[in-house]
Amino acid sequence: MEKKHKFSLWYVLIGMWIVLIAQSYIASMYAVQTIPYSQFLTLLKTEKIVEVAITANKIQGKMKVDGGAPNETKAFKTIRVDPELSTFLEQYKIVFKGEIESTFLRDILSWVFPLLLFVGIWYFFMKKMGAQQAGFMTLGKNKAKIYMENELNVTFKDVAGVDEAKQELVEVVEFLKSPGKFGELGGRIPKGILLVGPPGTGKTLLAKAVAGESGVPFFSLSGSEFVEMFVGLGASRVRDLFVQAKEKAPCIVFIDELDALGKARGFGAVGGHDEREQTLNQLLVEMDGFDPKVGVILMAATNRPEILDPALLRPGRFDRHVLVDRPDKIGREEILKVHLKKIKAVEDLDVGKLANMTPGMVGADLANLVNEAALLAVRRDKKEVGMPEFEEAVERIIAGLEKKNRVINVEERQIVAYHEMGHALVALSLPGTDPVQKISIIPRGIAALGYTMQVPTEDRFLMKRTELLNKIACLLGGRAAEEIIFGDISTGAHNDLARATDISRSMIKEYGMSDKLGQVYFAREPRSPFLDTGLRETGDYSDATAEAIDEEIKAVISKEYDRAVDILRKNKGILEKGAQLLLEKEKIDGAELKALMESS
Ligand code: ADP
Ligand code: MG
Ligand code: ZN
């Protein structure tokens, strides 16, 4: 930075010098002879002066040249002298001339000084800009913030409610503490770890905690900082970052908001994405180029993994994904406890109740909640923060969050609970379906308000007809539960319906599983994928058959729906109980569900 600045000041000085030289050169070209005023008067009297131009204190003109051609003239100038005095001086034949006080220095100062002032101001502002965001002088330089171990006193203790993610990262800490040990054993160390989860769940915090726990330097950089106005800068920044990181190894390089940089290439049409592409390519090159044995671990965080370029997620790059999910009730309780340590709350504060009141909130919301409550207590002149303050803070935050569509209201939570319980109950009642592992009504992502996780016990390559039908019934169980309990249905089932319809269509068109249409394959692929004219699947069967297929798809769906309704009617008691449990705990695992079934 210093160097560059001096360099530009030199330019100014050299420029000034050139102007001065040029000026004197031009002046010499028009060589004007300066003559004393007395000589001027003599020349005047001998008719040697050809023409004059008179100003207040100068006379310029042309005079004849002695001994030259008759028409040859020469420029001259003289300084005017007080006319009265000049006649007097002339009488005594004294050589006299006028002189103008030199203004050279004054002239120079009058324009050099403002120039210097201007340069000074410019420098001052550039320096200030440079401090905030790289100005002109730091182009191409790396902006990664480097935290040394002692600056970063975040540890795993500060991150609560995300135990699964923490467990995954313990190994990384082990590696960073003694990189040599892992190398000796020949184990493959993860190169890139991608933290995935909704905003505010503590991804950035976790990355810092990994650095804090292992006590290594932590390079932190946001994806958007790579994307620069000038083409090529982002790429050079990436290069720079890795050079620095290798010097400081073992260390962690953390790229926050990777999606800003790593959006799939070819997205977004107009200008600017070229630069991002270059930067991304450079990142991929660097990632391939370094050996994790040197002890550099690359971590990144994103809340939109689906838009990332697939190249980033390939093995050898960000191949380990750590899900940082929204906390459940117990998780929220733990997070609240972490943040409550920072304020003075009443001793018998019911943290469990507080956690109950905050479904859908993430770590950042809870930190905000505690802070908000503390501020309220200050405003009320209280010595300690009590439940009333927390309750009001919850209201404030929920009112703000509702716009963000994150926290679902009581009625919707009920619908979701019965819906999910419906899926689970149908699955449990039908033999041969995948066991239910987890039911949750913690909203995830944008679309899903809850989910029922069924995990197959073994890899399957063939599916029997009854299994497919059972699967359809399970998918429809959600909607069936809504109808039985509330007498109304909601939009929450749209994904279920899409999947059920897909299965049913495949059964009829591809697998020949329809009694009515028989063992016929109706879903012929176009002959050549390259000659696909968009007229897929037409002409393979008649319109009448197409109608029959549609009828049959519908028939399968409605038959399975009736079956799901039947199962749930018979087990309405368990449905109610399970939904209540779900509302209370937000998450039920397979074992708890089994216990529930057996108890009734
Ligand atoms: P993200 O990077 O996932 O968007 P952050 O890590 O920036 O979220 O979290 C913002 C703040 O919220 C943190 O500084 C911390 O105070 C609080 N926070 C978030 N998650 C947790 C958590 N799991 N435990 C404790 N505090 C949390
Ligand atoms: Mg973050
Ligand atoms: Zn569903």
Side-chain angles (χ1 to χ4, degrees):
M1 193 165 170
E2 275 310 300
K3 241 187 192 163
K4 273 195 182 158
H5 171 68
K6 270 182 197 147
F7 196 58
S8 58
L9 195 64
W10 273 116
Y11 270 134
V12 174
L13 290 176
I14 288 170
M16 275 163 54
W17 185 62
I18 287 172
V19 167
L20 285 178
I21 298 251
Q23 262 184 355
S24 61
Y25 178 69
I26 288 164
S28 74
M29 277 209 350
Y30 297 94
V32 179
Q33 194 183 0
T34 309
I35 55 174
Y37 195 63
S38 54
Q39 193 189 345
F40 168 70
L41 289 179
T42 318
L43 286 169
L44 198 62
K45 281 170 192 159
T46 54
E47 297 180 356
K48 284 271 168 61
I49 301 296
V50 182
E51 57 176 64
V52 291
I54 302 168
T55 62
N57 47 19
K58 240 185 350 195
I59 296 172
Q60 287 184 358
K62 288 182 181 153
M63 60 185 189
K64 282 184 184 155
V65 182
D66 279 329
N71 283 334
E72 195 181 341
T73 55
K74 196 158 92 173
F76 76 93
K77 78 171 185 212
T78 186
I79 310 296
R80 278 176 85 171
V81 176
D82 173 11
E84 255 176 61
L85 185 67
S86 65
T87 41
F88 203 58
L89 286 167
E90 216 176 359
Q91 265 178 20
Y92 292 95
K93 300 246 180 318
I94 292 171
V95 175
F96 60 93
K97 60 176 185 181
E99 217 160 79
I100 297 175
E101 280 173 75
S102 171
T103 57
F104 178 74
L105 211 64
R106 205 182 64 203
D107 286 349
I108 289 276
L109 281 182
S110 71
W111 63 272
V112 165
F113 202 69
L115 196 76
L116 283 177
L117 199 71
F118 174 73
V119 169
I121 290 170
W122 176 68
Y123 174 58
F124 176 75
F125 275 109
M126 270 334 215
K127 220 174 140 180
K128 244 188 138 176
M129 264 171 69
Q132 289 166 354
Q133 37 164 274
F136 236 49
M137 290 141 186
T138 53
L139 286 182
K141 277 275 166 76
N142 210 290
K143 285 186 293 186
K145 285 182 223 109
I146 308 176
Y147 298 95
M148 295 319 248
E149 38 191 298
N150 43 359
E151 291 171 56
L152 201 85
N153 38 27
V154 181
T155 62
F156 279 151
K157 267 198 235 105
D158 301 306
V159 195
V162 282
D163 295 333
E164 284 151 31
K166 257 200 272 189
Q167 264 165 26
E168 297 233 18
L169 293 172
V170 166
E171 188 187 328
V172 177
V173 172
E174 288 290 306
F175 165 68
L176 285 167
K177 272 184 178 161
S178 51
K181 198 176 89 190
F182 276 73
E184 278 161 30
L185 294 176
R188 205 175 80 85
I189 299 108
K191 217 181 212 183
I193 297 162
L194 186 62
L195 302 174
V196 183
T201 44
K203 298 181 292 299
T204 311
L205 195 67
L206 260 174
K208 282 184 184 164
V210 170
E213 286 279 337
S214 46
V216 298
F218 181 71
F219 292 80
S220 164
L221 202 83
S222 163
S224 56
E225 282 175 308
F226 277 117
V227 185
E228 280 290 340
M229 186 164 50
F230 300 104
V231 176
L233 276 183
S236 87
R237 210 158 257 164
V238 172
R239 223 172 294 130
D240 215 44
L241 175 70
F242 276 84
V243 170
Q244 276 189 49
K246 277 175 208 160
E247 276 168 16
K248 291 246 159 64
C251 67
I252 295 175
V253 175
F254 178 58
I255 304 176
D256 212 349
E257 276 132 53
L258 183 69
D259 39 289
L261 167 66
K263 249 178 264 176
R265 283 167 288 189
F267 263 37
V270 221
H273 80 283
D274 230 23
E275 160 65 356
R276 211 195 54 232
E277 236 166 66
Q278 273 191 24
T279 312
L280 177 57
N281 283 340
Q282 187 63 37
L283 179 68
L284 294 176
V285 167
E286 294 288 347
M287 282 194 83
D288 287 344
F290 85 84
D291 184 352
K293 281 186 191 124
V294 284
V296 179
I297 293 238
L298 201 58
M299 290 180 83
T302 181
N303 44 38
R304 306 171 66 193
E306 68 282 354
I307 65 162
L308 288 183
D309 197 296
L312 270 173
L313 308 176
R314 272 201 348 230
R317 286 161 181 173
F318 286 108
D319 48 2
R320 186 176 293 190
H321 297 188
V322 174
L323 178 68
V324 189
D325 213 350
R326 286 174 198 276
D328 58 4
K329 194 186 140 198
I330 295 167
R332 288 198 303 271
E333 210 172 311
E334 279 163 17
I335 296 174
L336 280 168
K337 277 179 191 156
V338 167
H339 290 283
L340 282 170
K341 272 184 211 145
K342 297 172 194 164
I343 65 161
K344 225 166 133 195
V346 289
E347 219 141 88
D348 57 345
L349 186 76
D350 191 348
V351 185
K353 190 178 159 200
L354 211 54
N356 250 340
M357 286 158 55
T358 51
M361 282 197 193
V362 294
D365 299 326
L366 295 170
N368 187 19
L369 169 76
V370 172
N371 188 47
E372 193 81 14
L375 290 178
L376 276 171
V378 171
R379 223 172 290 161
R380 290 175 184 171
D381 277 333
K382 287 204 174 173
K383 290 263 176 327
E384 290 170 322
V385 193
M387 205 60 187
E389 283 80 35
F390 281 107
E391 274 166 7
E392 191 171 334
V394 169
E395 268 167 40
R396 279 180 183 215
I397 289 175
I398 287 185
L401 283 183
E402 261 167 6
K403 287 179 214 117
K404 289 193 242 159
N405 197 14
R406 266 212 228 150
V407 173
I408 44 176
N409 68 32
V410 181
E411 199 196 336
E412 282 183 352
R413 269 185 91 214
Q414 263 189 353
I415 296 176
V416 175
Y418 278 101
H419 176 109
E420 296 305 332
M421 198 56 210
H423 284 309
L425 210 52
V426 174
L428 282 172
S429 314
L430 293 171
T433 50
D434 298 329
V436 177
Q437 200 159 62
K438 194 155 87 180
I439 325 173
S440 153
I441 56 166
I442 303 168
R444 298 173 108 231
I446 297 160
L449 295 173
Y451 61 96
T452 302
M453 203 161 96
Q454 282 176 273
V455 177
T457 34
E458 57 200 332
D459 284 344
R460 294 292 303 271
F461 302 102
L462 293 174
M463 292 282 277
K464 284 183 245 162
R465 185 167 173 221
T466 44
E467 284 172 335
L468 287 171
L469 291 174
N470 283 350
K471 205 163 191 167
I472 295 176
C474 287
L475 284 166
L476 297 171
R479 166 149 289 184
E482 287 179 38
E483 191 179 340
I484 291 168
I485 301 294
F486 302 103
D488 200 356
I489 51 179
S490 78
T491 53
H494 81 273
N495 186 40
D496 301 334
L497 295 184
R499 281 167 60 198
T501 311
D502 275 349
I503 296 174
S504 152
R505 179 178 295 119
S506 296
M507 283 175 73
I508 289 145
K509 288 176 75 174
E510 291 170 45
Y511 311 141
M513 287 178 178
S514 156
D515 295 333
K516 226 182 192 171
L517 291 152
Q519 338 287 341
V520 184
Y521 184 81
F522 290 111
R524 186 157 305 287
E525 289 293 317
R527 291 271 131 58
S528 157
F530 302 107
L531 295 176
D532 187 0
T533 50
L535 302 168
R536 291 175 133 248
E537 296 177 15
T538 51
D540 268 2
Y541 42 83
S542 68
D543 286 351
T545 311
E547 225 164 87
I549 291 172
D550 289 342
E551 283 295 314
E552 193 63 1
I553 293 172
K554 216 160 43 186
V556 169
I557 298 269
S558 53
K559 200 172 152 207
E560 291 313 309
Y561 184 71
D562 290 344
R563 205 148 66 99
V565 170
D566 208 42
I567 293 169
L568 294 178
R569 282 234 165 85
K570 277 188 197 134
N571 294 294
K572 202 170 166 192
I574 305 177
L575 180 64
E576 300 259 6
K577 248 197 222 164
Q580 288 312 323
L581 190 66
L582 202 50
L583 280 169
E584 194 183 309
K585 296 184 65 174
E586 295 181 352
K587 240 192 220 171
I588 306 183
D589 61 25
E592 285 171 303
L593 200 65
K594 229 184 214 146
L596 187 82
M597 292 285 281
E598 274 152 20
S599 74
S600 46

